[in-house]
Amino acid sequence: MKRITILDTTLRDGEQAPGNSMTLFQKVELALMLENAGVDCIELGFPASSKTDYEASKFISSKLNKTNYATFSRANINDIKLAIESGGVSERHTVQIVATGSDLHLKNKRKITREQGLIEVKNSVSFANQNGIKNIALGIEDASRADLSYMKLMIDEGIKSGANQIIVADTTGFATPTSFSKLIKMIRSWLLPNIKLSTHCHNDLGLALPNALAGIESGADEVQVTLGGIGERAGNTSLEELAAILYYKKNDYEMFTNIQIEKLYGIYNLLRKFIQLEEPRNKPIFGKYTFSTAAGIHQQGMILDPNTYEYVKPEHFSRERSMFISRYSGRNIIKYALSTLDISLDSKKIDELYFECIEKKSANYFDNFQNLIEILKNEIKIPKQNIQ
């Protein structure tokens, strides 16, 4: 069974999205918690982007105890110089060098030729290698829209110059699982087994997670993720969703991670607090109501056996299941609530309580199970002999 490594880029790609700015000490706290949760590598930041990112990368790297860490650089000497200064020359430090993959980016953003792009790769990777960096990752920006023949030249140049990892970035969320699988298989066929292959997928079409899964099925060794899927535009591959799938479906994929999934929800709530992120209602794993139900049919099943409607277990993520009361709830929820009070009533009284406590309420009435119990306590004003 293959272990998939996880690089978390919450502190870099996650933070660079609007509204996600964090202080240095907030980043340190998150980084240490991610380390404790089993993340293999934490991307610290983009040192050349600002003095703040430079100092943050330097400080956070000094606080991590065992986890590997990465810095982000463009394919130019000054970026890499600052990355090495901030992250240090360490076997735990991966210098990520992002090269321009697609002609669209070369012409319209960079305004350089393919030949100039190859020279950038050679010079920047060689500089990192000559300055003692053992882990050099060449990232191909917009790889899913790049010309394959040019991308092969770029990858060959990068490896010849000292890179030992390739990052395939679906920068705009352009790829589909089918196309991304073909791309990863092709790139894997170009590489020797000792060259690590990573995916970096964006979620513009909601395909970041399916694309990442297609990537590891097709030969990728690592997935770059963010906590809660935060990041540029629609975000990145979600750490908790990927970890959950490889926890529940590891036999299907014959792959696993070292992520301790029970620790993720606490880190996510801290992240939400730091960046003032609203709590989503229905997000997988972390949604407010992900482990809740308000439908009578589902509640009846959950009361008898939670497995009827609960494949993903709340306790695996340090969460709790709950039942909410709505106009879709049925009489079984009344019976169940009464059973928690050791009360048994006849069907006529159950009908009366259902009418008073649920049906009579407005269509918008929505409350939790514990409140139903309190309401029932107030409603039950009958002689003891009528309690069966």
Side-chain angles (χ1 to χ4, degrees):
M1 191 169 284
K2 180 179 179 179
R3 184 169 81 87
I4 299 299
T5 61
I6 300 297
L7 180 144
D8 184 277
T9 182
T10 302
L11 304 185
R12 199 276 301 172
D13 204 327
E15 192 202 26
Q16 71 186 32
N20 290 355
S21 180
M22 291 173 266
T23 69
L24 172 59
F25 292 104
Q26 287 172 341
K27 288 183 178 183
V28 170
E29 189 171 359
L30 288 172
L32 291 174
M33 293 177 77
L34 288 167
E35 177 180 54
N36 187 48
V39 168
D40 298 282
C41 186
I42 296 172
E43 189 171 9
L44 307 176
F46 181 4
S49 66
S50 67
K51 185 177 180 180
T52 299
D53 247 35
Y54 175 89
E55 295 296 342
S57 298
K58 192 170 187 177
F59 187 69
I60 299 168
S61 64
S62 72
K63 295 299 180 182
L64 292 171
N65 299 304
K66 57 183 179 180
T67 299
N68 295 328
Y69 53 89
T71 50
F72 180 93
S73 304
R74 292 165 297 189
N76 71 59
I77 303 301
N78 185 61
D79 275 24
I80 296 161
K81 181 175 179 290
L82 293 171
I84 294 172
E85 287 178 5
S86 62
V89 178
S90 166
E91 290 188 358
R92 290 167 56 202
H93 181 197
T94 297
V95 172
Q96 296 185 123
I97 301 170
V98 179
T100 307
S102 69
D103 288 322
L104 177 64
H105 279 223
L106 285 167
K107 294 176 182 178
N108 296 348
K109 185 183 78 169
R110 298 294 315 289
K111 301 189 184 304
I112 62 173
T113 64
R114 287 185 173 188
E115 291 71 23
Q116 288 172 308
L118 292 175
I119 291 170
E120 285 185 345
V121 169
K122 178 181 179 180
N123 291 343
S124 58
V125 173
S126 295
F127 181 82
N129 187 39
Q130 291 161 8
N131 281 271
I133 298 300
K134 302 299 183 184
N135 299 306
I136 303 170
L138 178 65
I140 312 297
E141 186 179 23
D142 205 24
S144 49
R145 296 192 290 181
D147 176 74
L148 284 176
S149 61
Y150 177 63
M151 188 157 47
K152 187 175 189 306
L153 290 174
M154 181 177 288
I155 289 171
D156 288 346
E157 187 64 65
I159 293 171
K160 185 171 68 174
S161 301
N164 55 6
Q165 180 177 351
I166 302 299
I167 305 166
V168 183
D170 181 31
T171 305
T172 64
F174 170 83
T176 65
T178 300
S179 67
F180 200 65
S181 174
K182 289 178 182 178
L183 178 61
I184 294 297
K185 283 180 182 176
M186 178 63 70
I187 295 174
R188 182 76 266 177
S189 74
W190 301 337
L191 306 176
L192 293 173
N194 65 319
I195 303 298
K196 191 172 189 176
L197 184 57
S198 303
T199 69
H200 181 102
C201 299
H202 280 264
N203 205 36
D204 299 70
L205 286 174
L207 293 175
L209 179 62
N211 286 341
L213 291 169
I216 59 176
E217 282 188 290
S218 302
D221 308 296
E222 179 178 85
V223 180
Q224 299 197 349
V225 300
T226 58
L227 192 61
I230 68 169
E232 282 282 0
R233 304 179 311 279
N236 295 53
T237 305
S238 165
L239 167 58
E240 69 281 359
E241 292 174 25
L242 179 77
I245 288 174
L246 293 186
Y247 175 83
Y248 286 102
K249 301 291 186 181
K250 63 183 177 182
N251 291 329
D252 292 347
Y253 284 93
E254 297 186 337
M255 300 174 194
F256 69 99
T257 74
N258 280 349
I259 299 298
Q260 297 176 50
I261 58 174
E262 73 278 5
K263 296 181 177 180
L264 297 179
Y265 188 57
I267 311 173
Y268 175 66
N269 281 332
L270 187 63
L271 171 67
R272 284 203 309 110
K273 177 183 175 183
F274 286 164
I275 64 175
Q276 299 181 15
L277 182 67
E278 292 182 8
E279 186 175 18
R281 289 186 181 182
N282 64 335
K283 181 174 171 49
I285 313 302
F286 287 165
K288 183 176 182 179
Y289 301 130
T290 298
F291 298 106
S292 304
T293 178
I297 294 174
H298 288 208
Q299 288 172 346
Q300 180 183 9
M302 294 287 283
I303 289 166
L304 296 171
D305 180 359
N307 290 312
T308 54
Y309 287 98
E310 190 179 80
Y311 173 66
V312 180
K313 305 300 180 189
E315 60 269 21
H316 290 165
F317 300 93
S318 301
R319 302 199 61 186
E320 295 180 358
R321 71 178 58 88
S322 58
M323 287 185 283
F324 284 74
I325 313 308
S326 76
R327 59 193 175 92
Y328 295 104
S329 298
R331 288 161 178 76
N332 279 305
I333 198 66
I334 298 287
K335 293 178 184 177
Y336 179 62
L338 291 172
S339 73
T340 66
L341 300 171
D342 293 322
I343 295 173
S344 176
L345 299 176
D346 60 30
S347 59
K348 182 179 179 182
K349 187 59 183 176
I350 294 290
D351 286 343
E352 291 175 6
L353 289 172
Y354 176 78
F355 178 77
E356 290 295 328
C357 298
I358 297 179
E359 193 171 288
K360 194 175 178 180
K361 304 294 184 182
S362 71
N364 295 325
Y365 176 71
F366 192 83
D367 219 335
N368 65 42
F369 180 71
Q370 193 58 44
N371 283 352
L372 173 64
I373 291 175
E374 296 304 316
I375 293 169
L376 288 172
K377 287 179 180 178
N378 293 329
E379 285 287 337
I380 297 174
K381 298 175 182 177
I382 55 178
K384 285 187 178 180
Q385 63 265 27
N386 286 351
I387 298 179
Q388 304 291 316

